Amino acid sequence: MGENPAKNHYAQLNRGEENEMEIFGYKTQGCRKALCIAGYILSCGALLLLFYWKPEWHVWANCIRCSLEEADIVLLRTTDEFRIYSRKTVTWISVSALIKSRSDYPATAEEDSIFSKAIMKPSLQVKSIQVQKIRYVWNFYAKQFQKVGALEDHHTCSAIHAKFGSGLTCNEQNVRRVICGPNTIDVPVIPIWKLLIKEVLNPFYVFQLFSVCLWFAEDYMEYATAIIIMSLLSIFLTVYDLRQQSVKLHRLVESHNNIMVTVCRNKEGFQELESHHLVPGDTLVLKEGKTLLPCDAILISGQCIVNESMLTGESNPVTKTHLPQADKFKPWRMHCAEDYKKHVLFCGTEVIQTKADDRGVVKAVVLRTGFNTAKGDLVRSILYPKPMNFKLYRDALRFLMCLIAFAAIGMIYTVCVFALNGEEAGEVVKKALDVITIAVPPALPAALTTGIIYTQRRLKKKGIFCISPQRINMCGQLNLICFDKTGTLTEDGLDLWGVLPSERNCFQDIHSFPADHSLPWGPVFRAMVVCHSLVVWEGKIQGDPLDVKMFEATDWVIDDSSGHQIEGQGSTHATVVRPGPKASSAPVEGVTILHQFPFSSALRRMSVIAQEIGGEQQVFTKGAPEMVAMLCRAETVPSNFESKLLLYTAQGFRVIGLACKSLQAGKQSTDLTREEVESDLTFLGLLIMENRLKRETKAVLEELSAARIRSVMVTGDNIQTAVTVAKNAGMISPTNRVILVEANKIPGSFSASITWKPLEENKTEDYGSLEDHSQTERRIRLALGSGQYHFAMSGKSYQIVAQQFKHLLPKKSSLVEEFQKLDYFVGMCGDGANDCGALKVAHAGISLSEQEASVASPFTSRTPSIACVPELIREGRAALVTSFCMFKYMALYSTIQYLGVLLLYWQLNSFGNYQFLFQDLAITTLIGVTMSFTGAYPKLVPYRPPSQLISPPLLLSVVLNILFSLSMQIFGFVVVQEQPWYSKTNIHSACLSMNNHMENSSSISSLGLHGTRDGAHGQMDNGYKSYENTTVWLLSTINCLIVALVFSKGKPFRQPIYTNYVFILVLIGQLGICLFLVFASIDDLYSKMDLVCTPTTWRISMVIMLAVTLAVSFLVEEAVIENRPLWLLLKKTFRYHSKSHYKRLQRVLEQDSAWPPLNETFFSDSVAISVEGNMGGHSNPTFDSNEDAL
């Protein structure tokens, strides 16, 4: 093939994004395709089924490798650890009908646009593929597939205004529409037949079908019918569940797929069209009144108030401002940095109010359409969830492989035994295949699913809903929980505690709330009245809870009449605030808010330009106190500012700084930049808000700490406030120290510094006696020596350290991923507001909000309380242990049956159909259904259940029990042949007198009688009756009950087994029936069950064998398998260390006397080291602390 095609054969799609994939080019070859079709016919479709399971094999068999440019089929592979393959066909889109002449060609409008680079000349066709609902087109210049449906990132702010401000021409719009596809988030309801076929073609059900066919061939009708009914029930339940989800998702997105919108056409004025015709680059005109947004768009003129609850989970209206025109060099997103979202209107959100500026209409440029939008992304994350890498599921497959290998040995043995004895070939094949269906339990997946279903039901009763049931087992492994602070650990709202005004660079007396007298009129009062982004919506004042509390404290009201004449500015929609009926008298009629600079998380402040009616224009700013103080003139900031700030933050208060300045008359407020407005301010004082801990927070965190589950707080609040909340909540114990980690970029260079300093406890009085420095150092060192330290770090520092500049991912999710890289099992608990990304990425995301945005979260709690976290962990641990018990039981049941059958095969015998039926249906199915009823243990113990099936205790338990079972069956099989009454040919020799109706009849006549009876029944009994069969079957059946009892362990993760009444009753009932079968001598019953009569002494001997097996098995399970101290001692003796990355780091750090560094600063030569390099090693310890200490 040469080097070049091979080189161009492979590329990466979505590099660096969450859905990164590798893409390979292939070309279909006629002769290969013909051979494959022949293979499908000859294999009766088996080859086609194999290709359905393995799409990569299908491509490799049908196609040859080629460059991506020539490819007609592409093979995609995910870059995560699962390496999942998918196959896509390349399609061609023709645009020749739209491009009649050279002037129609899109290049005239945009030479650098993907739309002009994707059109192949002269045929005017576009080559495309569709992956997970996103369309990619082939860029003939860059020689790669590129995403369409989004405006390119390279546009600058001024370019967006210039190129798209007046809209696209009709022709440009048509070309883009054909290439991008419709602007719809179309989730069709999947037809039931499709869901059924998909479910039935699952490898497990295919195996069941094979088993059922084999059983019908052997006249084993009853169990085959039972399995069919169970499988159909399971399939229908799954299909019903999937269908419900499909319908729910369809309803969620259909509402805004077709809305009438007004767009701006270049040179043609305004045009009304249906929203599915929109393309990236179109200019939307937003009318007054409520509008549902059908796409993501960048606001380029005017201002909007939007309800984003669908997307963020927060019902507070958000103010959006237009994109500045200023920058001509940086791409718009880089220019706006963190705050680009302040200019973006997201799909699915609702515009409540629009405010036009002096340019007349409110306009927005379409940024993304269809599944590329924020809502489309949310829907795709539900349609294509991230696969889960849980050891249990991987081990389950390995376990099944072991059973298949085990069955293969049995097959070889069967073929040898039967073939050597001259059996018919057909019979030999049937018997050999039978071994597989015995060794591999067909009911295993169903049994595992029941456990999860019961847990899901228990969680539902406790108000916890789950959309991803397979994650329940994962909850049993969680050892680190990230909590959002506001609304999760603390109450949702803030209460205004007090105002600390400042005049002439001195703090005045604090004004507490609720106070007897209201706050006097003055600059602080004016700031509280206007410095907010509140709106009146549905007759209620709505917005940020902090703003609401601050405004309510003034007793003023918002006058929501729409148009206001403002001197020299024409008519614009401005908000006016006036004194309310309860307000103290004010010398003004009201204040008009002319312009807003919304709160920005990067700048940590917001500002407004306001004007008293008939007065001058003023700027008011509020935000993080340290940020506000930096923007103020130094002479206006009190000298004791820092100590006062520390005094309140150390008590856990949320402190807000206020500032103001007067504006020169005659300047248009809309012409001013944010930098001009927010400079040379006068410091006004501090607003002190109280954020109370929720009642249950402390108890829950203490419970998690006692269970050695690490808690991490993730918040956008002041570090000192966060640390205080953590201390009050019990996350940091009073004896532990907190080390503040600060990272800063060094201006003018690529390097950065990282400083470690102890966060000093603040004395409640302002100037307390200060300890001698060396004494403090010694005290800190003492605390650190015992591993009792915690790190506190700001988001900015974290980003510099971890070098994770992922603009589109919220910081929380990248933090969760860092913990996952350290091999932690991470839970994330948040109110769903700005945690959506983290809730999705974590092993178990628990949303405390029932908003639409949290649909992507695997778990949702009905009550907004973190008490659901330990509850979920308890249930997860119980479900995990139940899964292990089920696995062990199923492995033993199939092995016991398998060993029994192989022993009887030695004599060319087997179990009868009713014997199989009794074991499979009456014993195992009932146990499988009821074993999982056991609830979770109420107390969380300080260790987790094993995470893998292939852990030494588990394997040892299975192997030992197999050996006990094998020993008992072989012992019974051999010893019965040594009995004096034993006869190989005469199956009535043991009980001649028992079934004889006439006591004095001669033994010959009796033998004759029974001989004829047996002859008469010979055909019906299929010759299964023998002493060995009876002995082995009774021993193996009761052995299944013994194993079920021994494996049903209760404490420490599940409630004691006697609390599962149904299971205990089932076991007692089954044992009663089995003992009845052992001791009863009812001819008809024995004949039906293929049993023969044995002397009472032998029956008692069998019961003794079983009792010994039970005692030994129970003793071994309790004294060895469940003996935690013994395993810990073995680990210590053999110096076994956990392979988890965080444990390894912990061991290294424990031996490092210089760790953690204190009052030290390190420099990196270059922060631009890739995260895969050693930088990760440098950043991760900052999050790690001794797990045992927490």
Side-chain angles (χ1 to χ4, degrees), residues 286-415:
L286 299 168
K287 304 273 182 71
E288 279 199 17
K290 289 185 183 178
T291 321
L292 202 62
L293 278 161
C295 59
D296 287 0
I298 312 168
L299 197 61
I300 57 166
S301 72
Q303 192 178 319
C304 290
I305 291 166
V306 185
N307 171 19
E308 289 192 342
S309 63
M310 183 294 302
L311 203 65
T312 62
E314 281 186 351
S315 52
N316 312 322
V318 181
T319 304
K320 301 282 183 177
T321 56
H322 66 78
L323 187 76
Q325 275 183 317
D327 190 78
K328 285 189 171 64
F329 308 105
K330 276 191 197 158
W332 73 277
R333 203 170 281 185
M334 274 173 74
H335 170 75
C336 303
E338 302 270 313
D339 291 318
Y340 77 91
K341 288 184 181 172
K342 293 285 165 203
H343 312 302
V344 178
L345 305 168
F346 293 103
C347 177
T349 60
E350 188 179 31
V351 176
I352 305 164
Q353 203 178 73
T354 56
K355 293 183 184 179
D357 53 19
D358 47 1
R359 278 170 287 181
V361 287
V362 179
K363 285 194 211 167
V365 172
V366 176
L367 173 64
R368 289 179 290 250
T369 57
F371 279 96
N372 293 286
T373 60
K375 178 148 189 175
D377 212 34
L378 183 70
V379 173
R380 285 193 322 119
S381 70
I382 301 165
L383 287 173
Y384 309 102
K386 209 174 165 186
M388 295 212 317
N389 184 11
F390 192 38
K391 289 172 187 164
L392 176 72
Y393 300 110
R394 273 187 325 205
D395 290 350
L397 280 172
R398 288 177 190 165
F399 166 79
L400 282 171
M401 289 302 148
C402 290
L403 286 180
I404 289 167
F406 202 38
I409 298 165
M411 277 178 79
I412 296 163
Y413 161 85
T414 308
V415 169

Side-chain angles (χ1 to χ4, degrees), residues 68 118 263 425 446 543 602 995 1029 1044 1128 1160 1172:
L68 282 164
V263 292
N995 291 328
N1029 171 297
L1128 289 174
E1160 287 181 47
E1172 285 76 34

Side-chain angles (χ1 to χ4, degrees), residues 685-703:
L686 299 172
L687 204 63
I688 298 156
M689 316 287 289
E690 190 176 20
N691 194 194
R692 297 192 186 99
L693 274 182
K694 283 186 179 174
R695 219 176 42 245
E696 64 280 356
T697 296
K698 197 166 182 182
V700 168
L701 292 177
E702 278 170 359
E703 184 178 7

Side-chain angles (χ1 to χ4, degrees), residues 314 483-494 545 654 691 694 713-717 725 812 830-831 833-835:
E314 281 186 351
F483 290 101
D484 180 31
K485 182 177 80 72
T486 313
T488 303
L489 296 176
T490 58
E491 293 291 352
D492 216 348
L494 293 149
R654 174 106 179 252
N691 194 194
K694 283 186 179 174
M713 187 199 291
V714 190
T715 176
D717 218 332
V725 168
K812 290 180 190 178
D831 54 8
N834 46 358
D835 313 314

Side-chain angles (χ1 to χ4, degrees), residues 1076-1096:
F1076 176 73
L1077 285 173
V1078 171
F1079 288 105
S1081 288
I1082 302 165
D1083 258 10
D1084 288 343
L1085 178 67
Y1086 266 36
S1087 174
K1088 199 86 173 152
M1089 292 300 295
D1090 293 313
L1091 297 174
V1092 294
C1093 175
T1094 53
T1096 311

Side-chain angles (χ1 to χ4, degrees), residues 518-527 529 556 579 584-591 612 618:
S518 55
L519 191 67
W521 175 256
V524 173
F525 192 93
R526 278 202 294 274
V529 161
W556 277 44
S584 57
S585 60
V588 291
E589 187 195 324
V591 184
E612 288 178 18
Q618 277 186 306

